[in-house]
Structure formats: structure tokens, C-alpha cells
Amino acid sequence: FPATIATTLTSSLLYKPASIRQLAVAASQITKSILFPSNQSTGRIRIMSSDAAVVSEAPVVAQPDDGDKSKQQQRPQQRQKLVLKVPKGMHDRPPVQMSVREDVLQKIVRVFKSHDAECLETPGAELKEVLTGKYGEDSKLIYDICDQGGELLSLRYDLTVPFARYVAMNKLQSMRRYQIGPVYRRDQPAMTRGRYREFYQCDFDIAGESEPMLADSECVLILTEVLSGLGFSNYTVRVNHRLLLDGIFQCCGVSEALFRPICSAVDKLDKCSWDEVAKEMSDKGLADEPIERIRQLVLTPRGSADLVDQLRENPALKGNAMVTQALDDMSRLFRYLGLLGCPDQVRFDLSLARGLDYYTGLIYEAVLEPTPDCNVTVGSVAGGGRYDKLVGMFTKKDIPCVGLSIGVERLFTILEQMHKAKEQKIRTTATQVYVCSAQKNLLEERLRLCGQLWCAGLPAAHSLRSNPKLLTQFQYCEDTGVPIALIIGESELRDNKVKLRCIASRKERLVDRDSCVDEVRAELASLAAAQQKTEQ
Amino acid sequence: FPATIATTLTSSLLYKPASIRQLAVAASQITKSILFPSNQSTGRIRIMSSDAAVVSEAPVVAQPDDGDKSKQQQRPQQRQKLVLKVPKGMHDRPPVQMSVREDVLQKIVRVFKSHDAECLETPGAELKEVLTGKYGEDSKLIYDICDQGGELLSLRYDLTVPFARYVAMNKLQSMRRYQIGPVYRRDQPAMTRGRYREFYQCDFDIAGESEPMLADSECVLILTEVLSGLGFSNYTVRVNHRLLLDGIFQCCGVSEALFRPICSAVDKLDKCSWDEVAKEMSDKGLADEPIERIRQLVLTPRGSADLVDQLRENPALKGNAMVTQALDDMSRLFRYLGLLGCPDQVRFDLSLARGLDYYTGLIYEAVLEPTPDCNVTVGSVAGGGRYDKLVGMFTKKDIPCVGLSIGVERLFTILEQMHKAKEQKIRTTATQVYVCSAQKNLLEERLRLCGQLWCAGLPAAHSLRSNPKLLTQFQYCEDTGVPIALIIGESELRDNKVKLRCIASRKERLVDRDSCVDEVRAELASLAAAQQKTEQ
């Protein structure tokens, strides 16, 4: 735990005004175990400025080690007032949210599975060095785990780099996999817009050789299938090509070393004005003339296959090898999307750049437009692209990859608001039968009946009070959406019967106790049939 | 990021032999931003021993800040040889494992849902102080996250404490919830026995007032339903009562302050011999006589309702209030379990203690016995109990709770070995149709057909090569279990037909191109019916 102390102190120094004295104390705690392993017990640490004047000095005192901490943690068993909250930018997901979530994730998985994908899960943490150098400017947002056991770990920042690590580690030639799980980014949270520090990603990736643009066009199709499958029609999939951007940069006179930094500036075009982006380019060392040339090429053109032809004819780009290859890819993409019957919501957009460093070819992003149902602007809800060099960063062998990632958190936010707007009531339990007692002292009979229902696999419940009121029990059914109640009373018991009540219609009938499981099943089936009829 | 540097260096100093020089360098990097905020640019840091002799000295050089790191991280884009591994005690879960997992988790969720439970999800991390003081001796196994943003965070250690925090934070009077997710413990991993540092827990809990033992007996029933539902018959659910243990300790002359430490020693009885446990008790300050009295009471008795009566008559325990209340609870438990039709695999076992500090009433644990199918000993696969004081540790108000946690990782290990023993082949994809080309240059036709199948919601796939061999395509179907192939050839194209091949029987027939989706559906239905017939 000296590491903990050091981290605590150094970070408090970074984020809050703090004295040099504190630092010296921290350093002394770091050093004690090294300086005084056993025989010595005191020393001093000094921090000195350039002219060798002592800025601060602190004693180093060796303390008994290890067992120490758990003792400290056992002590505060007495009640203490805690600030009750979750970590900044994270959130609990209560039952109503989880119901929406379960439905959304099931639909997404169904699409992924219909495209021949296997499921993979990688750990929530990776060795820090696995993540290092993969995310460009965003690397500073990675969460590190305190080194308590010899390895430097980080929480995963996305699911793509762990996938590439898995492919490399297992020397795979090809794999189609999907993975769903939380990722962690120490970003400024904006919860209302669905931006969190812990959020779920749903990823689909294809690793391995493929005919040009074949895997890529399937990924774009999958994006549209997922969004249509969730009931959205108001989306656009923006597509662009990293090689085309690089070619444009080259034609505009940008040096190769600046390709990624300038690309990352272009990426901010959906959030910032051109002037802000131009200033970032200028700050990054680009002269005014290339900036203006980039503006002319990147800012306006949007289209589809027609834009490909238009760009082929652009004299400013003619003859550039990267541009030519990228445009060949783009025209193949549009041909394949047509053959696949992909919806006509794919737009070639030269201002799309994507933030992450690792893309090498086609890139894409799905954006939802506001609708009458839901006028929140959430921006990009999914994205992806080709990254042919990422696996090779772990081994000597490149494996071409292309994939997509769905930012479900934003979709949840939108769908919840749509449910609210429609005043749809969302069930959070699956209970089909509620066992009620009509008189006192029937708890044990309720237990017997519940046991019978559970044994038959029927989702059932009853009150945990010994003598609940009948109305309270019915109320529970109405509040939580349980469709059927089975009521036990003394007369029913005597006749070996039970009363079956349909909560919505309030109709009741007596059924034989021995056949009540079948009667409940029959009632549920007829309710489901009626429901389906009204929906049609 | 100085925090990172400090952590890196201090931990390498702690765990590996390292020089004082390194420390001084680390400290200098920590200090630079504080010592030389703008105007100064150099200085020195000295580490001195008690007699003021300089042990080490390092220059401090202020460097340009912030942008700095991302540049450093961009540089190593050139290939570097990394040690490719996952963090110690964690593991990738490849597709075959994920298939088994998906099946197991679905079955568990079905049981949880059939008991009226809502789904909740809490963040992967909690404020450190939320976890502090909840786990007793195990607290040292908690993973901390480096404080990079002002809050001290820890990875969650279980799902119970976050649930209690949620109930307290939302001032809930009652809730039945299930939660499934990974938890993190910095334990010594034993992967072959399914013991990991990151592992999944499946939790079901009931918070709120209930008739005595009503919620408790439902939890024990759920444990048996889950294990039976997964196909296990060779399990025992051991039950005991914390109040009974405390009462026994009191009768044996243990002081109250030692109740929890001695309880934690008893908990080791399933892994250690009595002599080892006795030594731990002695080390914790208990005299020989009470240790011997505990042995006599705790070590042998196992039974069910009969043991309750037997203990009521035990003169050593007679009149102890805690013992009396606990035995009342136990006898009610066995009566309720009988009414619920719970399988007769519940054993009252006085040597069961459970490791965690927070239990206050009934405790239980499910153990699998080795079978001919699977002779791995994995020990406890699930457990839980009543914890009436945990919510109150966050607020002033206690909310009684009882719950259970299933350690699915161990179940996965067992089920995988059972599958291996039976040589069952596990499918990892859901693909139902593979679109093949019989001649060259039919890639675009394949795309058209795949688009049609995907549009109809049929899980389909095809080769990503332009001209794959027909045999290779069939082989893919056999290897991955795809039941049907649709074959396009030039003659079929001419006649607007497509050849439907059943992979298992190798039977082929021509179908109309326009009705091929329906034909595939019909074929799949008849294959499923045949499959069901052979299984009966």
C-alpha cells in the first residue's frame, strides 16, 4: 500500500493546492520500506531547489507493515455517516432501465448472431501496456488500477483493442466475434445525453482476409439492421475512408507526421465550428494555406456513389495513389450495399474522421436525427471501421480487421424517453400468478400452492406477511402487472378448490386444486391470444 | 500522469530488487510540476539516511507539460515485442465457453425471474469507503483504482454490498432483485478449480420485512431449483445460523469481541483440519478450554429437523437466548421447506460458518459431490444468508435482507468437463444457412441471396473469398454445424432456381429462387422435428 499512499498524495497535489511538505511526507512513506527494511527505523527525506536550498524536509519512520491495513478497515464497524453516491460518471441501472436494456441487447445479439458471429468475452482489465499507444490523444482517459500485485493494469477502454490482443495472442487467422460489456473512460460525463464514464459497448468484428470491401459492406449493413431492428428509421450512416483523408491531406500539403493530428482535428467537426477546428490545426503547426485547402475539400461534399465519381474528377486530387485506392473502395462499397439491399440511408461524408488512431480504411458512424417522438440530439450512436494494423502491433503479423461498435447507452436514453412520451408502462418482473389468501392463518397453504407452481416452472409470488389484506394483494398485481391471482379461502380449501381471478377483467372462477397449474397455463394462453388480437 | 510514474516506480521498488537511484528519479518526476511550475526549470531531489548521509540524489528537470504524454504514446507505433497475456487470475472466455455460459445464465435467470425478482445493475466500481469495513479479514483483497480524478474507487468485491448501498441510497423499504456480473478479488488464483480474480456472480436478494424464515426458506428453495435446473442432482445445501454459532461461542466462554474472528476460523473447516483451525483460534487469543468445547459442539453434528430437537436438549446450550431463537428459526425453516416441496438435500451442519462478516441469521452453502460424470471437487458453488445490519451501515435505518450468490465460474468448469467427457460438440454460432457458389464469378449473386436471407431474419453466412471451392464451403458447414447450404450455379441462375442441400443427409433439391426463404424455413422445421424425435 505505499503505492496507494503515493498515488493519493501525488494526485491530490495535482488536483488541489497542496504544500511541498505533503509531498515530502508522501515520498517518505514511499521510501520507508526500501530505506529501512528491518534494522533501521528512521531517516529523512529532503526536497531541494536548484540552488540547493532545502525546500522541504520530512522524517521517514518505518512502520509495522501489511497486517496493519485490514485492522484499520475493521475498526469503523460503528455507524458512520457516509456520502451515499456512486462514482462520478457511473450510475445504477434500476429495474425499468434494465427491462429496456434486456430487450435492446437481445435484439442486437440476434442481429450479430444472424451474421455468423461467435461470442467472446475478455477481462474487464488488461495489462496497461496492451492499451498503451493505441488510442492517440484519448489515452489520457484510461483508468489505471493500483498496482497491488506486481502487474500494471488498466480498465478496458473499448472492446476493439482487447479483441485484437486476443486474435494476436491465439495466433488466429480469422474470427467473427461479438462482445457486449462495459468499458471505462475518465471523460467529462454528460449523463442526460447518455455519456458516462462506465458504459456498455456492443461490438461486432471480422478478423481475417476478405475480398476488398466484402466484410466492410457487411458491417455497414449490420449497423442498419440493428437500428431498423430497434425501431429507428430516422438514422443516417455516414461513411468515409481514412486513406482518402490522408490523400486529401497529402494533396493539401500536410506532412505525413501531421496526418493523425489533423485527422483528429477534422473529427471534431460534428461538435465544433470550422473556425475552432482550423485553430486546432494551426495550433498543431499547420500553415494557413493547407488549412484553407482542407476546408474546401472536406467541408461540404456529401452524397453517395455520385460523390465518388465527382472526386475522381477533382483536379486537386487527381493522380494521388491513396485517393485512387480509397475511391475504388468506396465505389465497390456502394455496389455491394446495393446488392445486399441495404437501406438508402448511407451517406458519403468527407468531414467524417473518427477519433481513434487505429483505423486504416473505411470508417463509418450512425447518427440519429431528432423525431417528433424523441427530439433529443444524441449524435453518433454507433461507429466503426477498418483497422488492418492493430493486431500487428502485438505480433509481427498483421491481420486485417473491420468492425463496429454500438453505443447502447445513448440508445437506452432515447428509448426510455420514447417510452415516457408514449406513457407505456414497462413491466420489471415476469411473475404470472400471485397466490392470495382470503382469510387469516393461510400462510402455510399459500406456501404449498407456491411450491406447486414453482415446481411446474410457473413464475409465481405471494406476500411475505402472514395475514395480508386481500385488496393489498390485488393491488400488488395491478401495480406490477401480474395477470392472474389464485385465491385460497377456507371454503375453497374444504372443497379442494382454488379461485382463479383474471386481474384485468376481474372475472373469477373456481378450479380444481389438482389441475390449477393447467388452468393457469390455459388462462395465460388465452390472455396472450387476446393481447395479440388487439395489437393487430 | 506523475501519479502513474510514481505508481510504476514505487511498485517496481516494492516487488522487485531496485535501486534507491530509481526512487529518486521517480520522486523527481513527481515533484517537477510542483517545484517548477513555470519560471524555474531545474533542481535536485535527495534521499538521505538517518545519519544525513546522502543515499541518492537525482536532478529534477521541468519538462513541457500535458501534451507530452500523448506524444510519448504515439511514438511507439513502431512494432514492439509485448508480453501477450491477460492480467493474473483473469481469463478470456472463448466462444465454446461462452456457449455453455449463455445456456447456464439463461437457466439461472429463468429461476430468479420465476421468483418475482427485478433486475438491477450497479457500477463495476464503488467509492472505496462504500466497501470499507464490510468484508472483515478479506478486505485486503479489494482492488483499488488509481485516484486520477479526486475520488477513491474500488472494483466491486461482491454484488451484496452494492445492493445494500442501492437500497439505502434510494431509501427503499423492500426490493427483490437479481444481478449478474463480474466481481474482483485479489486472491491467489486457482484456475483449474474455477477460482479467478475476476469472476461472475449471480445474486438474488430479498430486502424488506418478512414473516420469520419466509424469505429465507424461499432463498434455500431457489438454490435447489437452480442446481436441479442445471441438471445437477449430486448437491447438498448445508445450512446453519450465525446466532446459533454466536450462542455456542458464548456458552463455550468466548468473549463477544472474538465472535467474528472465531467464526472466521470455523469457516476454514471445509479446507483445513481441526488442528489448523484450533491453532488459528489460539493465535487469535482463545484459551485451550473454550477451543475444546467448540470442537465438541461444532465438529460432528449434521442432520435436519432432528438435529434441532437434539440441540434443544443439549445441557451445554440450554437457556442461551441466542441459541433458543436460532433453533426456533431452524425448525420453522425445515417446516417451510417441507411445505414448499423442497428436495430433501438440505443438511443442518454446525460447522458451516461462511467467511463474510455481514451475516446475522440463517447461512447456507451448496456443495457438489463428485460423480462418475465429473469427479472434480470444486467445493462450494453457491451460498448466502441473512444480513439484517448491512443497509443500516449506510443509513441510520436497518432493512432486513436475505439472499444468495451463485459462483457460476465453478459451475462452468464442471459443465465444460462434463461436455468433454460426453464428447458433445458445442455450436458457437447460430448460422442456419450457408450460401455457396458452385462456379467462379458468382460473388455478387451470393451477396444478393445473403441480403435476401438476412432481410428475412434468417441467420446466414457465405465465404469472404471471391471464388471459394465448393468442398471448402461444405466443410465450413460441417465444422461449425450449419444445417443447410443454398448453392448457386450458372444453370440455377439461368432457371431462377437455387439448390438446397441438407448438410447432414447430403440430400439436395432445386427450389424456386423467389420462395427459397420459405423453403429454408420449412427444411429447418422438419430438421428440428426429426431432432426432437431422436431425443425422445
Side-chain angles (χ1 to χ4, degrees), chain A residues 7 10-11 15 20 23 30-31 33-35 40 42-44 46-48 50 73-74 77 79 82 84-88 91-95 98 102 113-116 118-125 127-129 133 139 142-148 151 153 165-166 169 175 184 186 198 200 206 210-211 214 218 221 225 335-336 339-340 357 392 394 396 398 428-429 431 443-444 447-448 451 454 459-461 464-466 476, chain B residues 3-4 7 10-11 14-15 20 23 30-31 34-35 40 42-44 46-48 50 73 77 79 82 84-88 91-95 98 102 113-116 118-125 127 129 133 136-137 139 142-148 151 153 165-166 169 175 184 186 198 200 206 210-211 214 218 221 225 335-336 339-340 357 392 394 396 398 428-429 431 443-444 447-448 451 454 459-461 464 466 476:
Chain A
T7 323
T10 50
S11 44
Y15 294 97
I20 302 297
L23 177 77
I30 303 171
T31 48
S33 54
I34 304 107
L35 282 179
Q40 270 183 296
T42 53
R44 302 198 70 74
R46 263 184 211 170
I47 293 175
M48 302 160 88
S50 53
Q73 290 195 334
Q74 272 173 20
Q77 292 271 2
R79 270 168 208 193
L82 285 176
L84 268 181
K85 63 185 287 296
V86 292
K88 184 180 174 186
H91 63 147
D92 289 319
R93 295 164 181 114
M98 290 308 288
E102 192 184 342
K113 282 191 170 175
S114 79
H115 284 269
D116 206 29
E118 301 182 293
C119 186
L120 171 72
E121 205 168 276
T122 60
L127 294 191
K128 187 174 172 55
E129 57 177 342
S139 295
I142 294 172
Y143 274 100
D144 293 329
I145 299 178
C146 293
D147 180 20
Q148 300 155 297
E151 288 179 334
L153 307 182
R165 193 262 308 143
Y166 179 85
M169 203 169 121
M175 182 179 199
Y184 298 85
R186 234 158 34 75
E198 176 191 54
Y200 269 71
I206 301 174
S210 129
E211 273 300 288
L214 208 49
E218 192 172 339
L221 177 72
E225 285 184 350
R335 195 166 74 246
Y336 287 169
L339 289 165
L340 287 167
D357 260 22
F394 296 108
K396 290 224 169 77
D398 281 329
T428 56
T429 57
T431 306
L443 168 62
E444 303 210 342
L447 275 182
R448 216 190 290 268
W454 283 325
L464 291 180
R465 307 275 176 182
S466 55
Y476 182 86
Chain B
T4 322
T7 322
T10 51
S11 46
L14 281 173
Y15 295 95
I20 302 297
L23 177 77
I30 301 171
T31 50
I34 304 106
L35 282 179
Q40 271 184 295
T42 53
R44 302 199 71 74
R46 261 182 212 172
I47 293 175
M48 303 162 87
S50 53
Q73 291 195 331
Q77 293 271 2
R79 271 163 211 198
L82 286 175
L84 269 182
K85 64 185 286 294
V86 291
K88 183 179 175 187
H91 62 147
D92 289 320
R93 295 162 181 114
M98 289 308 288
E102 193 186 340
K113 282 191 172 177
S114 79
H115 284 269
D116 206 29
E118 302 183 291
C119 185
L120 171 72
E121 205 168 276
T122 60
L127 294 191
E129 57 177 342
E137 294 175 8
S139 294
I142 295 173
Y143 274 100
D144 294 328
I145 299 179
C146 293
D147 179 19
Q148 299 156 298
E151 288 179 334
L153 307 181
R165 193 261 310 141
Y166 179 84
M169 203 169 121
M175 182 178 199
Y184 298 86
R186 232 159 36 74
E198 176 191 53
Y200 269 71
I206 300 174
S210 131
E211 273 300 290
L214 207 49
E218 193 173 337
L221 177 72
E225 285 184 350
R335 193 165 76 246
Y336 288 169
L339 288 165
L340 287 167
D357 260 21
F394 295 107
K396 291 225 168 78
D398 281 331
T428 56
T429 57
T431 307
L443 168 61
E444 303 209 343
L447 276 183
R448 217 190 290 267
W454 283 323
L464 291 180
S466 55
Y476 183 86

Side-chain angles (χ1 to χ4, degrees), chain B residues 445 448-449 452-453 456 458 486 492-493 495-499 510-521:
Chain B
E445 285 305 322
R448 217 190 290 267
L449 187 50
Q452 212 178 327
L453 295 164
L458 276 172
L486 282 182
E492 284 86 4
L493 262 184
D495 304 338
N496 202 27
K497 299 268 180 193
V498 59
K499 202 183 277 169
L510 279 179
V511 301
D512 281 345
R513 174 69 188 259
D514 300 332
S515 62
C516 72
V517 166
D518 294 334
E519 294 284 351
V520 167
R521 287 227 168 92

Side-chain angles (χ1 to χ4, degrees), chain B residues 62-191:
Chain B
Q63 285 169 7
D65 224 279
D66 265 310
D68 195 34
K69 194 197 182 187
S70 58
K71 263 179 228 151
Q72 279 178 11
Q73 291 195 331
Q74 272 171 18
R75 233 177 289 143
Q77 293 271 2
Q78 62 265 35
R79 271 163 211 198
Q80 37 174 203
K81 192 72 191 170
L82 286 175
V83 184
L84 269 182
K85 64 185 286 294
V86 291
K88 183 179 175 187
M90 304 192 182
H91 62 147
D92 289 320
R93 295 162 181 114
V96 173
Q97 277 183 29
M98 289 308 288
S99 292
V100 177
R101 250 178 128 71
E102 193 186 340
D103 181 54
V104 170
L105 294 183
Q106 258 176 15
K107 284 174 178 162
I108 292 174
V109 167
R110 205 179 303 146
V111 173
F112 288 170
K113 282 191 172 177
S114 79
H115 284 269
D116 206 29
E118 302 183 291
C119 185
L120 171 72
E121 205 168 276
T122 60
E126 294 280 342
L127 294 191
K128 187 173 170 57
E129 57 177 342
V130 165
L131 307 190
T132 302
K134 309 295 186 302
Y135 302 105
E137 294 175 8
D138 288 341
S139 294
K140 60 184 182 295
L141 304 179
I142 295 173
Y143 274 100
D144 294 328
I145 299 179
C146 293
D147 179 19
Q148 299 156 298
E151 288 179 334
L152 287 169
L153 307 181
S154 299
L155 293 182
R156 63 183 173 207
Y157 182 84
D158 68 3
L159 302 177
T160 312
V161 170
F163 171 62
R165 193 261 310 141
Y166 179 84
V167 170
M169 203 169 121
N170 294 283
K171 300 190 177 62
L172 301 180
Q173 293 304 308
S174 67
M175 182 178 199
R176 275 171 180 259
R177 81 89 180 79
Y178 71 91
Q179 181 170 358
I180 292 178
V183 300
Y184 298 86
R185 300 188 183 175
R186 232 159 36 74
D187 212 339
Q188 265 320 308
M191 322 279 265

